[in-house]
Amino acid sequence: QAQLVESGGGLVQAGGSLRLSCAASGRTFSSYRMGWFRQVPGKEREFVAEVSWTSGQTYYADSVKGRFTISRDSAKNTVYLQMNSLKPEDTAVYYCASAKSGTRWSLGSWGQGTQVTVSS
């Protein structure tokens, strides 16, 4: 099982930027995809973005397309989520996840989460 540790969350004003990091360890991540999800109290966890560790192909939720960028640094075994033009509705706990390509995220590994708060 992989170990994932998120960092970089915090408080930012609307229109600002934050970069989240996810340090991954415990396995080789080739043939894996890495993702970011977020959750607010009382709501289901929602998909934000994912990246293929091998190909670098990315996918985004419509709500963040054009504002967020997911990337990975294979040398550092780290995945990033660059968040620009932040909105109050982006406020949530952000989770990093890894899953073998072709399998459900629920079968993969998850970090503990990092809080992002966007003030209006």
Side-chain angles (χ1 to χ4, degrees), residues 47-113:
F47 169 80
V48 174
E50 71 171 85
V51 61
S52 166
W53 196 269
T54 303
S55 70
Q57 190 169 18
T58 58
Y59 299 94
Y60 296 92
D62 287 343
S63 58
V64 307
K65 214 172 280 185
R67 300 188 298 123
F68 291 11
T69 303
I70 188 171
S71 62
R72 85 269 190 255
D73 184 331
S74 299
K76 296 182 178 180
N77 257 20
T78 300
V79 178
Y80 303 98
L81 185 68
Q82 178 66 44
M83 306 186 294
N84 298 329
S85 302
L86 282 161
K87 305 175 182 179
E89 51 264 44
D90 293 319
T91 296
V93 177
Y94 283 71
Y95 296 91
C96 178
S98 70
K100 196 170 178 64
S101 296
T103 65
R104 289 178 292 176
W105 290 107
S106 60
L107 299 177
S109 300
W110 293 81
Q112 293 300 305

